[in-house]
Amino acid sequence: RLIPFLLRLPRVPGKVDPMQLSLRMRRLKEVINIASALLVFGVLHMSMWLNWTASLVSDPALRTKIAGVAWSISAYWGVALTLVLTVAYVPSTIHLQNRARELITKGKMAKETKGAEQWLDEHGFSFTLSNQLLQCVSILAPILAAPISSALKLL
């Protein structure tokens, strides 16, 4: 119930146009990409602040421990935010894909199996690597922010 509400899908199943679903899919992908960029920036920012405290300590052993804790916290939030993006994207995509497939197979293209599959593929409703690569990278980006922040620290 939450996913159709968030995507503002109409309650009456017969009033949805496949092109509206295509627009919703495109907007969902845009939201995930923007959210991912903001979350990566947040994790990097937090990591830099946490690592900043290590630079104030003169003892190298303590500095290493503080940097390890900072990395652990950053990695934790990277994993947590990646899971949030995954939970937001995957069920929504599956719902939109199923709905589009249902509308296409019952509509004009129902007799043309190849035409229906081609339409779904062209409008981003298939789970092929070419259609989902950018979203996979966007979803996994927060988990990569901790190692990136460690690399930035070395600069």
Side-chain angles (χ1 to χ4, degrees):
R1 292 270 181 225
L2 179 63
I3 291 171
F5 172 75
L6 292 175
L7 295 174
R8 296 191 179 126
L9 294 175
R11 293 176 194 250
V12 181
K15 296 197 176 194
V16 180
D17 180 29
M19 291 307 291
Q20 288 176 328
L21 292 177
S22 177
L23 178 64
R24 286 189 180 119
M25 179 65 87
R26 205 168 346 121
R27 287 191 178 152
L28 174 65
K29 290 179 179 182
E30 290 170 358
V31 166
I32 292 296
N33 292 339
I34 291 168
S36 176
L38 291 173
L39 294 175
V40 165
F41 177 76
V43 170
L44 288 173
H45 184 254
M46 178 184 57
S47 178
M48 292 299 159
W49 273 104
L50 291 170
N51 279 308
W52 175 72
T53 57
S55 66
L56 299 175
V57 177
S58 60
D59 183 19
L62 185 57
R63 184 181 307 142
T64 304
K65 289 179 183 180
I66 291 173
V69 169
W71 189 88
S72 298
I73 292 170
S74 299
Y76 166 80
W77 281 108
V79 169
L81 296 173
T82 295
L83 290 174
V84 167
L85 288 175
T86 303
V87 167
Y89 181 71
V90 172
S92 302
T93 302
I94 290 170
H95 177 77
L96 288 173
Q97 180 188 31
N98 290 341
R99 189 75 177 109
R101 186 177 306 282
E102 179 184 320
L103 289 172
I104 292 296
T105 55
K106 291 181 180 177
K108 299 174 190 174
M109 297 182 211
K111 296 176 184 170
E112 307 173 28
T113 308
K114 193 173 188 179
E117 290 300 321
Q118 182 180 1
W119 188 92
L120 290 169
D121 189 47
E122 288 171 358
H123 289 86
F125 288 105
S126 65
F127 279 112
T128 60
L129 184 61
S130 60
N131 277 340
Q132 302 298 329
L133 183 62
L134 181 59
Q135 277 59 53
C136 289
V137 170
S138 292
I139 288 171
L140 292 175
I143 206 169
L144 300 174
I148 290 171
S149 70
S150 293
L152 290 175
K153 184 175 65 173
L154 298 175
L155 295 177

